[in-house]
Amino acid sequence: MPYPDFHYHKEFTFMTKKVAAITGASSGIGAETVRALVEADFSVYMGARRMSHLNVLAEKYGAIALPLDVTQTYSVQQFVNELPDSVQVLINNAGGALGLEPIVGMDENQWLNMYQSNVLGLARMSKALYPRLLADSSQVSHVVNIGSVAGFETYVGGAGYTACKHAVRAISETMRLEWLGKPIRVTEIDPGFVETEFSLTRFGGDAARANSVYAGMEPLSAADIADAIRWAVTRPAHVNIDSMVIRPLDQARVDKVFRR
Ligand code: NAP
Protein backbone atom coordinates (compact mmCIF):
# COMPACT_ATOMS: atom_id res chain seq x y z
CA MET A 1 0.00 0.00 0.00
CA PRO A 2 1.85 3.16 -1.15
CA TYR A 3 0.02 5.55 1.24
CA PRO A 4 -0.54 3.96 4.70
CA ASP A 5 -3.17 6.54 5.71
CA PHE A 6 -4.82 6.79 2.32
CA HIS A 7 -7.70 4.64 1.15
CA TYR A 8 -9.34 5.58 -2.12
CA HIS A 9 -13.03 4.72 -2.14
CA LYS A 10 -14.26 5.01 -5.71
CA GLU A 11 -17.91 4.92 -4.69
CA PHE A 12 -17.40 7.89 -2.34
CA THR A 13 -16.46 10.19 -5.21
CA PHE A 14 -19.83 9.48 -6.85
CA MET A 15 -21.66 10.62 -3.74
CA THR A 16 -19.99 13.96 -3.01
CA LYS A 17 -19.04 16.83 -5.26
CA LYS A 18 -15.33 17.59 -5.24
CA VAL A 19 -14.46 21.09 -4.05
CA ALA A 20 -12.16 23.37 -6.06
CA ALA A 21 -10.74 26.73 -4.95
CA ILE A 22 -9.57 29.06 -7.75
CA THR A 23 -7.52 32.21 -7.18
CA GLY A 24 -7.54 35.14 -9.60
CA ALA A 25 -10.94 34.06 -10.91
CA SER A 26 -12.29 37.50 -11.87
CA SER A 27 -10.97 37.41 -15.46
CA GLY A 28 -9.01 35.45 -18.05
CA ILE A 29 -7.79 31.94 -17.29
CA GLY A 30 -9.25 31.93 -13.77
CA ALA A 31 -12.76 32.88 -14.92
CA GLU A 32 -12.74 30.25 -17.69
CA THR A 33 -11.50 27.65 -15.20
CA VAL A 34 -14.49 28.44 -12.98
CA ARG A 35 -16.76 27.62 -15.92
CA ALA A 36 -14.81 24.48 -16.87
CA LEU A 37 -14.77 23.03 -13.34
CA VAL A 38 -18.44 23.80 -12.69
CA GLU A 39 -19.20 21.96 -15.96
CA ALA A 40 -17.04 19.08 -14.68
CA ASP A 41 -19.32 18.94 -11.61
CA PHE A 42 -16.97 20.52 -9.06
CA SER A 43 -18.27 22.74 -6.31
CA VAL A 44 -16.25 25.89 -7.06
CA TYR A 45 -15.10 28.62 -4.64
CA MET A 46 -13.49 31.55 -6.43
CA GLY A 47 -11.43 34.46 -5.14
CA ALA A 48 -10.08 37.77 -6.47
CA ARG A 49 -10.08 41.46 -5.52
CA ARG A 50 -12.77 42.57 -8.01
CA MET A 51 -15.91 41.23 -6.35
CA SER A 52 -18.16 42.78 -9.01
CA HIS A 53 -16.61 40.46 -11.63
CA LEU A 54 -16.89 37.44 -9.34
CA ASN A 55 -20.54 38.21 -8.61
CA VAL A 56 -21.32 38.03 -12.35
CA LEU A 57 -19.66 34.59 -12.52
CA ALA A 58 -21.49 33.48 -9.37
CA GLU A 59 -24.79 34.37 -10.99
CA LYS A 60 -23.85 32.66 -14.27
CA TYR A 61 -22.28 29.44 -12.99
CA GLY A 62 -23.41 29.02 -9.41
CA ALA A 63 -19.83 29.21 -8.08
CA ILE A 64 -19.20 30.89 -4.72
CA ALA A 65 -17.57 34.33 -4.80
CA LEU A 66 -15.20 35.37 -2.00
CA PRO A 67 -12.91 38.39 -1.70
CA LEU A 68 -9.24 37.48 -1.93
CA ASP A 69 -5.98 39.37 -2.15
CA VAL A 70 -3.22 36.77 -2.26
CA THR A 71 -0.61 39.40 -1.33
CA GLN A 72 -2.18 39.70 2.16
CA THR A 73 -1.87 36.85 4.65
CA TYR A 74 -5.03 37.90 6.54
CA SER A 75 -7.05 37.92 3.28
CA VAL A 76 -5.80 34.45 2.36
CA GLN A 77 -6.77 33.20 5.82
CA GLN A 78 -10.23 34.79 5.61
CA PHE A 79 -10.78 33.19 2.18
CA VAL A 80 -9.67 29.78 3.41
CA ASN A 81 -11.86 30.06 6.53
CA GLU A 82 -14.92 30.27 4.24
CA LEU A 83 -14.09 27.02 2.43
CA PRO A 84 -15.44 23.58 3.38
CA ASP A 85 -13.27 21.56 5.79
CA SER A 86 -12.16 19.37 2.91
CA VAL A 87 -10.97 20.76 -0.44
CA GLN A 88 -9.78 18.56 -3.32
CA VAL A 89 -8.39 21.08 -5.83
CA LEU A 90 -6.49 24.35 -5.47
CA ILE A 91 -5.83 26.33 -8.65
CA ASN A 92 -3.06 28.87 -7.92
CA ASN A 93 -3.78 31.21 -10.83
CA ALA A 94 -3.67 34.76 -9.38
CA GLY A 95 -0.78 36.76 -10.75
CA GLY A 96 0.55 38.42 -13.85
CA ALA A 97 3.22 40.80 -15.14
CA LEU A 98 3.88 44.49 -14.51
CA GLY A 99 6.03 46.52 -16.88
CA LEU A 100 8.62 45.57 -19.49
CA GLU A 101 11.61 47.60 -18.38
CA PRO A 102 15.19 46.32 -18.62
CA ILE A 103 16.87 45.36 -15.33
CA VAL A 104 18.73 48.66 -15.04
CA GLY A 105 15.40 50.49 -15.36
CA MET A 106 13.56 48.27 -12.90
CA ASP A 107 10.65 49.66 -10.91
CA GLU A 108 11.09 48.12 -7.45
CA ASN A 109 7.40 48.37 -6.60
CA GLN A 110 6.43 46.48 -9.74
CA TRP A 111 8.94 43.73 -8.97
CA LEU A 112 7.73 43.50 -5.36
CA ASN A 113 4.09 43.34 -6.48
CA MET A 114 4.87 40.58 -8.98
CA TYR A 115 6.67 38.55 -6.31
CA GLN A 116 3.87 39.13 -3.83
CA SER A 117 1.15 37.76 -6.14
CA ASN A 118 2.88 35.20 -8.39
CA VAL A 119 5.28 33.68 -5.85
CA LEU A 120 4.41 34.48 -2.23
CA GLY A 121 0.68 34.46 -2.95
CA LEU A 122 0.94 30.96 -4.40
CA ALA A 123 2.95 29.75 -1.41
CA ARG A 124 0.59 31.45 1.09
CA MET A 125 -2.48 29.85 -0.49
CA SER A 126 -0.85 26.41 -0.58
CA LYS A 127 0.27 26.65 3.05
CA ALA A 128 -3.13 27.85 4.26
CA LEU A 129 -5.07 25.21 2.31
CA TYR A 130 -2.75 22.28 3.01
CA PRO A 131 -4.69 20.91 6.02
CA ARG A 132 -7.94 21.03 4.02
CA LEU A 133 -6.30 19.29 1.07
CA LEU A 134 -5.39 16.42 3.41
CA ALA A 135 -8.61 16.45 5.47
CA ASP A 136 -10.44 13.66 3.61
CA SER A 137 -8.24 10.58 3.58
CA SER A 138 -10.54 8.89 1.05
CA GLN A 139 -9.59 11.27 -1.76
CA VAL A 140 -6.53 12.42 -3.66
CA SER A 141 -6.25 16.19 -3.78
CA HIS A 142 -4.52 18.39 -6.34
CA VAL A 143 -2.62 21.68 -6.49
CA VAL A 144 -2.41 23.26 -9.95
CA ASN A 145 0.10 26.09 -10.28
CA ILE A 146 -0.23 28.41 -13.25
CA GLY A 147 3.33 29.01 -14.36
CA SER A 148 4.32 30.18 -17.83
CA VAL A 149 6.82 29.55 -20.60
CA ALA A 150 8.47 32.48 -18.76
CA GLY A 151 9.26 29.84 -16.12
CA PHE A 152 12.01 28.37 -18.30
CA GLU A 153 12.63 31.00 -21.02
CA THR A 154 13.70 34.65 -20.76
CA TYR A 155 13.24 37.78 -22.86
CA VAL A 156 14.50 41.35 -22.90
CA GLY A 157 12.58 43.46 -20.38
CA GLY A 158 10.97 40.39 -18.81
CA ALA A 159 13.34 39.69 -15.90
CA GLY A 160 10.95 40.70 -13.10
CA TYR A 161 8.21 38.42 -14.42
CA THR A 162 10.38 35.57 -15.72
CA ALA A 163 12.19 35.40 -12.36
CA CYS A 164 8.79 35.02 -10.65
CA LYS A 165 7.68 32.24 -12.97
CA HIS A 166 11.08 30.51 -12.66
CA ALA A 167 10.36 30.60 -8.91
CA VAL A 168 6.92 29.06 -9.47
CA ARG A 169 8.61 26.22 -11.33
CA ALA A 170 11.00 25.65 -8.42
CA ILE A 171 8.07 25.66 -5.98
CA SER A 172 6.06 23.14 -8.05
CA GLU A 173 9.04 20.77 -8.13
CA THR A 174 9.68 21.23 -4.39
CA MET A 175 6.01 20.54 -3.57
CA ARG A 176 6.32 17.18 -5.34
CA LEU A 177 9.43 16.37 -3.29
CA GLU A 178 8.06 17.54 0.06
CA TRP A 179 4.64 15.89 -0.42
CA LEU A 180 5.92 12.59 -1.79
CA GLY A 181 3.92 9.86 -0.01
CA LYS A 182 0.97 12.20 0.61
CA PRO A 183 -2.16 12.03 -1.57
CA ILE A 184 -1.63 15.44 -3.20
CA ARG A 185 -0.92 15.79 -6.90
CA VAL A 186 0.99 18.81 -8.19
CA THR A 187 0.61 20.06 -11.75
CA GLU A 188 2.14 23.12 -13.36
CA ILE A 189 0.47 24.56 -16.46
CA ASP A 190 2.86 26.70 -18.54
CA PRO A 191 1.09 28.73 -21.24
CA GLY A 192 2.55 30.90 -23.98
CA PHE A 193 0.53 33.92 -25.20
CA VAL A 194 -3.08 33.79 -23.95
CA GLU A 195 -5.34 36.72 -24.84
CA THR A 196 -6.73 37.89 -21.48
CA GLU A 197 -6.35 41.07 -19.41
CA PHE A 198 -2.69 40.05 -18.87
CA SER A 199 -1.13 42.54 -21.32
CA LEU A 200 -3.54 45.33 -20.39
CA THR A 201 -2.42 44.96 -16.76
CA ARG A 202 1.24 44.68 -17.75
CA PHE A 203 1.07 47.96 -19.69
CA GLY A 204 -0.93 49.89 -17.07
CA GLY A 205 -4.21 49.95 -19.05
CA ASP A 206 -2.64 50.95 -22.42
CA ALA A 207 -5.04 49.03 -24.72
CA ALA A 208 -3.17 49.83 -27.96
CA ARG A 209 0.11 48.51 -26.54
CA ALA A 210 -1.66 45.45 -25.10
CA ASN A 211 -3.32 44.65 -28.44
CA SER A 212 0.00 44.96 -30.28
CA VAL A 213 1.26 41.89 -28.39
CA TYR A 214 -1.19 39.71 -30.35
CA ALA A 215 -1.09 41.63 -33.66
CA GLY A 216 -1.07 39.39 -36.74
CA MET A 217 -0.91 36.14 -34.76
CA GLU A 218 -3.49 33.88 -33.18
CA PRO A 219 -2.98 33.62 -29.42
CA LEU A 220 -4.45 30.97 -27.14
CA SER A 221 -7.76 31.71 -25.45
CA ALA A 222 -8.36 31.41 -21.70
CA ALA A 223 -10.72 28.52 -22.54
CA ASP A 224 -7.81 26.59 -24.13
CA ILE A 225 -5.96 26.69 -20.80
CA ALA A 226 -9.06 25.97 -18.72
CA ASP A 227 -9.60 22.90 -20.90
CA ALA A 228 -6.10 21.64 -20.02
CA ILE A 229 -6.65 22.32 -16.32
CA ARG A 230 -9.93 20.41 -16.36
CA TRP A 231 -8.22 17.49 -18.11
CA ALA A 232 -5.34 17.41 -15.60
CA VAL A 233 -7.62 17.42 -12.53
CA THR A 234 -9.90 14.70 -13.88
CA ARG A 235 -7.21 12.05 -14.52
CA PRO A 236 -7.39 8.84 -12.45
CA ALA A 237 -6.20 9.33 -8.85
CA HIS A 238 -2.78 7.65 -9.35
CA VAL A 239 -1.88 9.80 -12.40
CA ASN A 240 0.00 13.06 -11.83
CA ILE A 241 0.42 15.38 -14.81
CA ASP A 242 3.71 17.06 -13.83
CA SER A 243 3.57 19.94 -16.28
CA MET A 244 1.97 21.01 -19.52
CA VAL A 245 3.56 23.55 -21.88
CA ILE A 246 0.88 24.99 -24.15
CA ARG A 247 1.67 27.54 -26.85
CA PRO A 248 -0.12 29.03 -29.81
CA LEU A 249 0.91 27.46 -33.12
CA ASP A 250 2.27 30.92 -34.00
CA GLN A 251 4.73 31.02 -31.06
CA ALA A 252 7.94 28.97 -31.09
CA ARG A 253 9.60 30.61 -28.08
CA VAL A 254 8.40 33.27 -25.68
CA ASP A 255 9.97 35.94 -27.93
CA LYS A 256 9.72 34.18 -31.34
CA VAL A 257 6.30 34.84 -32.81
CA PHE A 258 5.05 34.41 -36.39
CA ARG A 259 2.98 37.41 -37.51
CA ARG A 260 1.04 37.50 -40.76
P1 NAP B 1 -5.77 38.28 -16.20
O1 NAP B 1 -6.97 38.22 -17.09
O2 NAP B 1 -5.14 39.60 -15.96
O3 NAP B 1 -6.14 37.60 -14.82
C1 NAP B 1 -5.35 37.75 -13.67
C2 NAP B 1 -6.19 37.37 -12.48
O4 NAP B 1 -5.38 37.42 -11.31
C3 NAP B 1 -7.34 38.36 -12.24
O5 NAP B 1 -8.50 37.61 -11.94
C4 NAP B 1 -6.90 39.17 -11.05
O6 NAP B 1 -8.03 39.53 -10.28
C5 NAP B 1 -6.06 38.14 -10.31
N1 NAP B 1 -5.14 38.72 -9.37
C6 NAP B 1 -4.08 39.53 -9.62
N2 NAP B 1 -3.50 39.91 -8.47
C7 NAP B 1 -4.23 39.33 -7.47
C8 NAP B 1 -4.15 39.37 -6.07
N3 NAP B 1 -3.21 40.10 -5.44
N4 NAP B 1 -5.05 38.67 -5.34
C9 NAP B 1 -6.00 37.95 -5.97
N5 NAP B 1 -6.14 37.88 -7.30
C10 NAP B 1 -5.26 38.57 -8.04
O7 NAP B 1 -4.60 37.37 -16.79
P2 NAP B 1 -4.48 35.79 -17.07
O8 NAP B 1 -3.74 35.66 -18.32
O9 NAP B 1 -5.78 35.11 -16.93
O10 NAP B 1 -3.50 35.38 -15.87
C11 NAP B 1 -3.72 34.29 -15.03
C12 NAP B 1 -2.40 33.61 -14.73
O11 NAP B 1 -1.85 33.09 -15.95
C13 NAP B 1 -1.32 34.52 -14.15
O12 NAP B 1 -0.64 33.82 -13.13
C14 NAP B 1 -0.39 34.76 -15.34
O13 NAP B 1 0.91 35.07 -14.93
C15 NAP B 1 -0.49 33.43 -16.03
N6 NAP B 1 -0.09 33.42 -17.44
C16 NAP B 1 -0.72 34.21 -18.35
C17 NAP B 1 -0.31 34.19 -19.68
C18 NAP B 1 -0.94 35.06 -20.74
O14 NAP B 1 -0.36 35.23 -21.82
N7 NAP B 1 -2.11 35.63 -20.51
C19 NAP B 1 0.73 33.34 -20.07
C20 NAP B 1 1.33 32.54 -19.12
C21 NAP B 1 0.91 32.57 -17.82
P3 NAP B 1 -8.24 40.88 -9.46
O15 NAP B 1 -7.48 41.96 -10.17
O16 NAP B 1 -9.73 41.06 -9.50
O17 NAP B 1 -7.73 40.60 -8.07
Side-chain angles (χ1 to χ4, degrees), residues 9 18 23-24 27 43 71 86 91 102 109-110 112 114 120-121 158 167 188 195 211 240-241:
H9 302 302
K18 292 186 179 177
T23 72
S27 65
S43 173
T71 70
S86 174
I91 313 287
N109 279 333
Q110 288 186 335
L112 282 169
M114 286 191 279
L120 293 174
E188 182 172 308
E195 195 165 13
N211 290 337
N240 188 77
I241 306 300

Side-chain angles (χ1 to χ4, degrees), residues 123-137:
R124 267 186 206 105
M125 283 297 307
S126 306
K127 178 184 173 185
L129 225 64
Y130 182 73
R132 281 174 163 76
L133 292 170
L134 286 176
D136 180 354
S137 62

Side-chain angles (χ1 to χ4, degrees), residues 51-113:
M51 278 304 285
S52 55
H53 286 53
L54 293 185
N55 289 336
V56 172
L57 295 175
E59 182 80 15
K60 202 164 166 188
Y61 302 122
I64 293 155
L66 297 167
L68 173 66
D69 182 347
V70 297
T71 70
Q72 305 297 324
T73 305
Y74 76 86
S75 173
V76 167
Q77 203 51 61
Q78 278 179 348
F79 176 84
V80 170
N81 288 346
E82 296 297 320
L83 301 180
D85 291 343
S86 174
V87 174
Q88 281 68 54
V89 173
L90 165 62
I91 313 287
N92 278 317
N93 168 73
L98 295 171
L100 195 62
E101 281 70 45
I103 294 163
V104 295
M106 77 184 278
D107 178 324
E108 281 197 34
N109 279 333
Q110 288 186 335
W111 280 53
L112 282 169
N113 283 337

Side-chain angles (χ1 to χ4, degrees), residues 23-247:
T23 72
S26 60
S27 65
I29 294 167
E32 277 300 310
T33 305
V34 170
R35 178 195 52 73
L37 294 194
V38 167
E39 283 174 9
D41 212 25
F42 282 80
S43 173
V44 174
Y45 290 72
M46 52 185 178
R49 294 165 300 182
R50 290 172 297 176
M51 278 304 285
S52 55
H53 286 53
L54 293 185
N55 289 336
V56 172
L57 295 175
E59 182 80 15
K60 202 164 166 188
Y61 302 122
I64 293 155
L66 297 167
L68 173 66
D69 182 347
V70 297
T71 70
Q72 305 297 324
T73 305
Y74 76 86
S75 173
V76 167
Q77 203 51 61
Q78 278 179 348
F79 176 84
V80 170
N81 288 346
E82 296 297 320
L83 301 180
D85 291 343
S86 174
V87 174
Q88 281 68 54
V89 173
L90 165 62
I91 313 287
N92 278 317
N93 168 73
L98 295 171
L100 195 62
E101 281 70 45
I103 294 163
V104 295
M106 77 184 278
D107 178 324
E108 281 197 34
N109 279 333
Q110 288 186 335
W111 280 53
L112 282 169
N113 283 337
M114 286 191 279
Y115 267 84
Q116 273 290 358
S117 56
N118 291 285
V119 184
L120 293 174
L122 178 151
R124 267 186 206 105
M125 283 297 307
S126 306
K127 178 184 173 185
L129 225 64
Y130 182 73
R132 281 174 163 76
L133 292 170
L134 286 176
D136 180 354
S137 62
S138 72
Q139 301 208 52
V140 165
S141 57
H142 203 151
V143 173
V144 178
N145 295 327
I146 308 303
S148 169
V149 293
F152 50 90
E153 293 174 352
T154 55
Y155 52 96
V156 171
Y161 180 63
T162 58
C164 285
K165 291 303 193 187
H166 275 65
V168 169
R169 194 171 182 81
I171 293 171
S172 300
E173 287 177 12
T174 308
M175 283 175 168
R176 267 182 231 115
L177 292 171
E178 293 185 353
W179 299 346
L180 185 64
K182 307 247 184 254
I184 308 183
R185 305 190 280 189
V186 179
T187 296
E188 182 172 308
I189 307 280
D190 295 319
F193 280 175
V194 190
E195 195 165 13
T196 61
E197 294 179 14
F198 178 89
S199 294
L200 198 63
T201 302
R202 165 167 247 171
F203 298 126
D206 182 339
R209 198 172 173 200
N211 290 337
S212 73
V213 172
Y214 314 110
M217 58 90 64
E218 185 175 356
L220 298 170
S221 70
D224 294 328
I225 304 305
D227 193 29
I229 295 170
R230 171 176 41 195
W231 182 79
V233 302
T234 53
R235 291 313 83 213
H238 67 288
V239 177
N240 188 77
I241 306 300
D242 260 37
S243 65
M244 292 174 77
V245 179
I246 309 165
R247 300 182 208 255

